[in-house]
Amino acid sequence: MINRSNESKMRYLMYVIGAIVFFDIMIIITNLYIAPILTGFGLPDILIYLKALTFLMLFIIISIWVKDGSFSLSKSTLRQLLWLGFYVLCTYFFSVYMYKYYLIVDTQNIIKNQILGGNPALVFDLSRINLQQLTYITTIFSGFNSEIMLFAQALVLQAMIIGTKSFEIQEEPDIMYDTFMFDGKLFYISMLHMLFAFLSINLLTFRYELLSAIEIGVAVAAFAISILNFITSSDVFKMRNNYCKQSDFVSSHRFMILLMIINIVLFALLFGYNVYLYIIFSGTYRIVAALLALVTASYLLVRTKSILSLENK
């Protein structure tokens, strides 16, 4: 567990995460009241809520540790949560870049094929669409979600993650668990779960209606959690036939249990929505991917709980 001597470092980390949460709130306000309203939802408009919730969760956990002396947190869990924030930040960065590229290409296509080579009577309406899209792009360039702001957040967050390596931890004896406490299949099932989670994402469009926007948000959140679970299972697999600390072993398994409970709920929602699409004859391959992700998440949950129940050091 993280030693209380790191309180100043944790407090500094809390301020950094709090600043990122503030920027996310300003982005949401900008999207709601300042940025021009386009038809439907763009991918960044959806992922900003996921990013804000992720960093808000980080801020709350670190704040509780700083304020409550009885609250314990392992260094491995803290680093895993920070890596989750970093992956979500990178995903949002990529979505902003791709969405702007999509809007620029769409504007170019309208000018080339529908204005210059199309019906002159539609020039006014098409120009209005182009102006909206270009205004949206320039708003992003000059706003809190510009690439330079996101790049700065990523640099600072990466420095914070590297800095956690120097955190002092409470003295614990190193122990070696029996081999049967490490199920090698968990690592490979976690890899499959991550693959199925990726295949459940609807990446074939850039703009979404309300229900499909909720679907993509849930799918991306579940995929981010599956990545974190895979990294955690990899760390646990490395403990096999090696000395480790009891707190790292227990906290890693409890963390994976929590992640899989969340993913079971998310993939149950995704599977239910895809069943609805299938019923109305709009189903896709994602119904199979969501089902397989739900099955693997359930297996990981049951197996991890059974392993943790045998821990008696």
Side-chain angles (χ1 to χ4, degrees):
M1 297 297 174
I2 299 176
N3 197 296
R4 285 288 156 180
S5 62
N6 301 292
E7 183 173 345
S8 60
K9 296 179 181 178
M10 289 288 284
R11 192 177 294 274
Y12 179 67
L13 180 59
M14 179 183 69
Y15 294 147
V16 172
I17 300 299
I20 295 178
V21 172
F22 170 76
F23 288 141
D24 291 343
I25 293 174
M26 296 306 296
I27 293 172
I28 293 173
I29 293 174
T30 300
N31 288 346
L32 291 176
Y33 298 106
I34 300 175
I37 300 175
L38 302 179
T39 303
F41 299 89
L43 190 57
D45 302 331
I46 304 165
L47 294 186
I48 184 57
Y49 292 96
L50 173 61
K51 179 174 179 286
L53 288 174
T54 301
F55 282 96
L56 180 60
M57 176 190 66
L58 274 170
F59 179 77
I60 292 173
I61 292 174
I62 297 173
S63 299
I64 293 175
W65 188 92
V66 171
K67 302 296 182 182
D68 187 356
S70 62
F71 182 76
S72 59
L73 182 66
S74 69
K75 185 165 75 171
S76 61
T77 301
L78 175 63
R79 286 177 57 82
Q80 288 158 357
L81 288 172
L82 290 174
W83 277 117
L84 173 63
F86 183 77
Y87 294 141
V88 172
L89 174 59
C90 291
T91 302
Y92 181 70
F93 180 97
F94 182 74
S95 71
V96 171
Y97 170 79
M98 291 301 298
Y99 188 52
K100 290 200 304 185
Y101 179 77
Y102 161 76
L103 291 178
I104 291 173
V105 170
D106 187 56
T107 300
Q108 180 189 43
N109 178 68
I110 290 175
I111 295 174
K112 179 180 178 181
N113 298 321
Q114 300 186 48
I115 294 180
L116 296 179
N119 186 353
L122 300 177
V123 169
F124 179 79
D125 291 334
L126 294 174
S127 298
R128 178 181 53 80
I129 295 174
N130 285 343
L131 179 61
Q132 284 183 314
Q133 297 190 156
L134 293 176
T135 303
Y136 184 93
I137 294 171
T138 55
T139 301
I140 293 178
F141 269 118
S142 59
F144 289 95
N145 56 340
S146 64
E147 278 92 337
I148 189 65
M149 293 291 290
L150 297 175
F151 180 67
Q153 291 180 30
L155 285 180
V156 174
L157 188 58
Q158 183 71 19
M160 294 294 99
I161 295 174
I162 295 174
T164 56
K165 291 183 178 180
S166 64
F167 279 18
E168 297 179 4
I169 59 176
Q170 297 175 3
E171 291 296 332
E172 291 183 66
D174 290 330
I175 57 178
M176 180 179 288
Y177 286 93
D178 295 327
T179 305
F180 70 86
M181 294 292 288
F182 299 91
D183 187 351
K185 291 184 293 185
L186 286 180
F187 174 76
Y188 300 104
I189 298 297
S190 297
M191 186 184 300
L192 280 176
H193 176 67
M194 183 174 61
L195 175 63
F196 296 144
F198 176 77
L199 293 176
S200 67
I201 303 175
N202 180 14
L203 295 175
L204 302 180
T205 58
F206 283 92
R207 294 201 66 79
Y208 307 88
E209 299 300 328
L210 180 59
L211 286 179
S212 57
I214 296 174
E215 178 201 9
I216 190 71
V218 171
V220 171
F223 176 60
I225 291 174
S226 70
I227 294 177
L228 187 56
N229 178 75
F230 173 73
I231 294 173
T232 308
S233 66
S234 176
D235 293 338
V236 170
F237 189 73
K238 293 176 183 177
M239 297 178 187
R240 188 175 187 175
N241 298 324
N242 288 300
Y243 285 96
C244 65
K245 299 186 183 301
Q246 181 187 21
S247 62
D248 289 339
F249 181 88
V250 173
S251 62
S252 294
H253 282 79
R254 287 177 176 173
F255 191 53
M256 288 191 292
I257 290 173
L258 175 62
L259 294 177
M260 287 304 98
I261 290 175
I262 296 174
N263 258 12
I264 286 174
V265 174
L266 294 179
F267 281 115
L269 292 173
L270 279 178
F271 179 68
Y273 177 72
N274 279 278
V275 169
Y276 164 74
L277 292 179
Y278 181 79
I279 292 175
I280 62 173
F281 305 103
S282 299
T284 66
Y285 68 92
R286 295 195 303 278
I287 187 174
V288 178
L291 177 61
L292 292 175
L294 179 61
V295 171
T296 51
S298 301
Y299 173 83
L300 290 171
L301 174 63
V302 172
R303 186 56 185 152
T304 305
K305 289 185 68 175
S306 65
I307 291 175
L308 187 59
S309 65
L310 300 174
E311 201 281 329
N312 59 358
K313 297 292 185 181

